[in-house]
Amino acid sequence: MTFHDENLPIPAERSWWHASVAFPTPHSGAARTLATALAGQRFHFLRKDAGVRLRTEQPVTGLLDQLVADRVLTGWTGGIYEPETHAFGGPEGMAVAHDVFCADSPAALAETGTSGARERTVMLLSAMIRAAGLDPFEAGDVHARWAALRPPVAPPHGPALDTALSAMRRLMNADAALRPDAEAGWTERVAAFEDAGRRLRLLADDGRLIRGIRGVLAHHAIFAFNRAGIPAETQAATAWLGRHVAFSTGEGDVSTRKSAPAEPSLPRMETTVTSATDPHQYREALAQRLVDSGHLHSQTAIDAFRTTDRHAFLPDVDLESAYKEDAVPIKHDDHGEMISCISAPSIVATQLEQLGAQPGHKVLEAGAATGYNAALLGKIVSPGGQVWTLDVDQDLVAGAGKHLADAGIDNATAVMADGAAGLPEHAPYDRIIFTVGAGDVPVKILDQLAPAGAWSCRCGSAAASPAASPLNATERRGRPSPARWPPSSRCARASATTCTPSCRWPGRATCVWRRSASRMSTATPCAPFSTSSRPSSTPE
């Protein structure tokens, strides 16, 4: 069959007139005047810089020109509206979004600069999530996804945290429609958000969304809070609180099937969660994120993450990027292929928790990378413990050694040596960790493990986000070097139950072997890693 461009189907989509509108400073009065002038129009908007991106069903050229002439606006320019159709679940999901945008926009624009915007929007979003039929932990996942798309935040502690969580919990569980002394049109706004939630659930159940419903709802959260004039940093704080309410205190704390009567006034959430602006805040935020996600749980590991500057081991990376949930390449070969990287924080945390190093332990690490993992281990095994981290790349060894020295880690040493051969002069080791992918168990390594010791590796040659030494890079390219790898036991021989070709997560897991007096036995099965990156999202 021959296809011609003119015969291709074009989905019907509402055409919105678009204008970028600039406000004077301060802009609250201009926003309210614009809202009044647009009365009777069906429109929606997003805040951008010192103005809004306005979308209307009919052109409003004359109206905007008059507002400029009256010096209400400083100017406007036309443009083309490009809806984020995929982000909202496809054409039908975008239609739902436009309906709720238009139902919320008149009041949101008129309320510019008024108090309580954040609290009102929490109630509206919670009504939408309940109507979509999400269970408590699914609701928490919406907030977690939303938080992942906002800047890092430093969480509060003590009474400040309790106060903020209490307010957030009441707002998330309240019946928004029963809020007393609400503004005119509030009930209709609540109904629009609830209707959107129900429609999204029907689309999801019918398989007509091209994206998961929780991801769609997280995007709705960003847009709703943008319309309310809530800055990205405050959004991050709110998302963090919502996630914490859902995951940290039990299933009964987030209602999704029924809601409690609204209180006489909106409980205020003090801005106790702030955007991270210094290394201490980034460290705290990273540690808390790993605790909330379940990757960290032992106090020694938590303390190590809270006190170790990840950015100090990544001198060529900006502060914010250094603490993201991403692997960071640190060396490439002559062809531009990555041969070493520092693993994503969740992967590092998972393997350290599985390893179970204790104060006083001697630890051998294969794969020095930047030295960050060795620094964490050094703190975990203090006092009295010692760490040796190995690599065959002199540049990496020198860099790791410098980073460790600069960080004041005096019980971790970077050594140029083949990880497969180990470091017999300091054996036996209480713990051995491979932060490179390993499909085999090198026999020489097993001989250096102390009785009752444990050895952790990333199973498979394509371990997720490995800190890849040339050894690992050679294996990953499918050209294992017999000279590098001594005669070895397959993982299946060391353990009959894990890291076999039928492993559920081949190449994306860690395994831990614990040594008894006579043989190696497995105590910890393969564990999957979550390695998805966290893209930024800014409403357009």
Side-chain angles (χ1 to χ4, degrees), residues 480-501:
S481 169
R484 281 274 172 83
W485 284 99
S488 58
S489 302
R490 294 297 301 173
C491 292
R493 296 177 188 169
S495 164
T497 59
T498 63
C499 202
T500 66

Side-chain angles (χ1 to χ4, degrees), residues 446-473:
L446 302 186
D447 292 340
Q448 296 172 35
L449 191 62
W455 180 79
S456 172
C457 75
R458 296 183 186 173
C459 307
S461 60
S465 301
S469 66
L471 169 64
N472 187 57

Side-chain angles (χ1 to χ4, degrees), residues 60 128-129 153 208:
V60 290
M128 189 178 190
I129 290 173
V153 293
R208 288 150 59 192

